[in-house]
Amino acid sequence: MPTFHRPSPSSDSPPRPSMTAGRRRRLLVTIAVTLVLVLALVAIFAAFFFRHVDEGITRSEFDLPGIESAEDPGEMNVLIMGLDSRLDQNGDALPEDVYQALHAGGAEDGGYNANTLILLHLPEDRSQAVGISIPRDDYVELAGAPLGVTHGKIKEAYGLALEERLEELSATGEIPDPAEAYQDARAAGRQAQIETVSHLLGDVRIDHFVEVTMGGFFHVAEAVQPIEVCLNQATEDVYSGADFAAGVQQLDAEQAMSFVRQRRDTGDSGVFLTDLDRSRRQQAFLVGLANRLRDAETLTQPKTVTSLVDATQSSVALDSEFELFGFLKVAKEVSDHGIEFVTLPIEEFGVVDGSDVNLVDVEEIQSVVAELLSPNETAEDDDAEPGSAGGSDESDVDPSTESEGASDQTAAGPEDDTAEEVEVYESWDQPIRAGAVPCVN
């Protein structure tokens, strides 16, 4: 039976910056297709070319007790989960060359934390969709208290429930086939993670989920490389394998993994990076990845499509009711209208039981989510009651047009034809806007 690997806290984590009131309340907007949404679209395109791919995708069921299913099937909420597991969907080790490319240890490292959590809301009229990003270290109530843990980092719900289910199966003395037991435990992890997210957001209905592992991230990057990114300064890091020059550059899959995993600089550049900068790197990478996938030629290359099919079957899981071909039309409509991503606010950084966490105001989070999911209703409330939830001076500013100075900075001079194609972002909390290659730290 595959064993559960619980990652140990990093002892070399850099200090976290303090969180000002303005930063705490500001929604960090990224106009980019997120990694796992891209993987969902990859699965769709792959299924379009190879219909047998749907049969090879891992699937499981889930339910949300007390929450009714959608009255109108035209509206859809999809929870996107990215795991830090170094295994594939069957619990098997990845090829050795993949581990070398990941610079993240081997099969025994990592675990089943849901390090990426995004609720994708698709309105009925397919007007601008919204992706609600949930910080992975938010300290919240865990659904079902897996292994007796009532509260923890939101990302931990999956792994704790998985381990609890494996222990339950072992205690019965009637352990089924190891592969079956493993998939049963993975399904329990998904169930707990979905319930935990739904409860945090205000018992929000979740219709479907998309799950991807770290290996899937690498294989998608490998299939569509090179990826264009931009850095404000040269930087290197012995832990992630990063070694980059400043400016716009094309990355292969191995470099891309180093780019998105770097959170410190071990060279002589003096660049100060944190986990928040790593999140910003991931956003910048996703812009480049989305651009590659929008390129018509990318998905007409047989080798590329075959690689994407393989990545989908080995590294992606969907719920039993997720219909790939039906979602193809939805994805096209969403791409026509655009998609906006926001990151939920936190109160402050803290430490609980020796672990770094994000302390959050649950009522504030639920208010923000309600505003995002029902903008018309909250807009009427704001007109009637200025200063109420969602109606403060800060939230009256359209986050999609506010970039705190980034609009006046470009990587090229005004006489350069590429001046409008690259936009500089010097801080992790500046919104990344569409229409330019983001240059980040």
Side-chain angles (χ1 to χ4, degrees), residues 391-430:
S392 66
D393 292 341
E394 287 185 15
S395 58
D396 285 341
V397 179
D398 181 1
S400 65
T401 60
E402 182 191 17
S403 63
E404 298 195 6
S407 61
D408 297 329
Q409 303 176 25
T410 56
E415 302 300 325
D416 193 309
D417 291 338
T418 64
E420 297 181 358
E421 298 177 1
V422 176
E423 192 163 21
V424 173
Y425 296 88
E426 297 180 341
S427 174
W428 61 269
D429 64 348
Q430 291 173 283

Side-chain angles (χ1 to χ4, degrees), residues 86 99-106 109-110 214 239 261:
R86 274 68 160 173
Y99 289 124
Q100 293 178 3
L102 292 176
H103 293 282
D109 296 293
M214 186 179 291
Y239 295 96
R261 294 189 63 251

Side-chain angles (χ1 to χ4, degrees), residues 337-390:
H337 290 89
I339 184 169
E340 176 180 274
F341 280 84
V342 302
T343 300
L344 293 178
I346 72 171
E347 284 279 291
E348 60 181 332
F349 298 121
V351 177
V352 176
D353 295 330
S355 180
D356 292 331
V357 301
N358 301 329
L359 302 178
V360 300
D361 183 330
V362 175
E363 290 186 0
E364 180 183 13
I365 285 176
Q366 294 180 356
S367 175
V368 168
V369 171
E371 181 177 343
L372 292 169
L373 299 187
S374 303
N376 293 333
E377 296 178 11
T378 54
E380 294 175 359
D381 294 340
D382 290 346
D383 290 338
E385 301 180 42
S388 60

Side-chain angles (χ1 to χ4, degrees), residues 22 88 163 223 243 276 283 309 360:
D88 67 13
E163 185 174 8
D243 187 4
L276 296 173
Q283 295 169 358
V309 168
V360 300

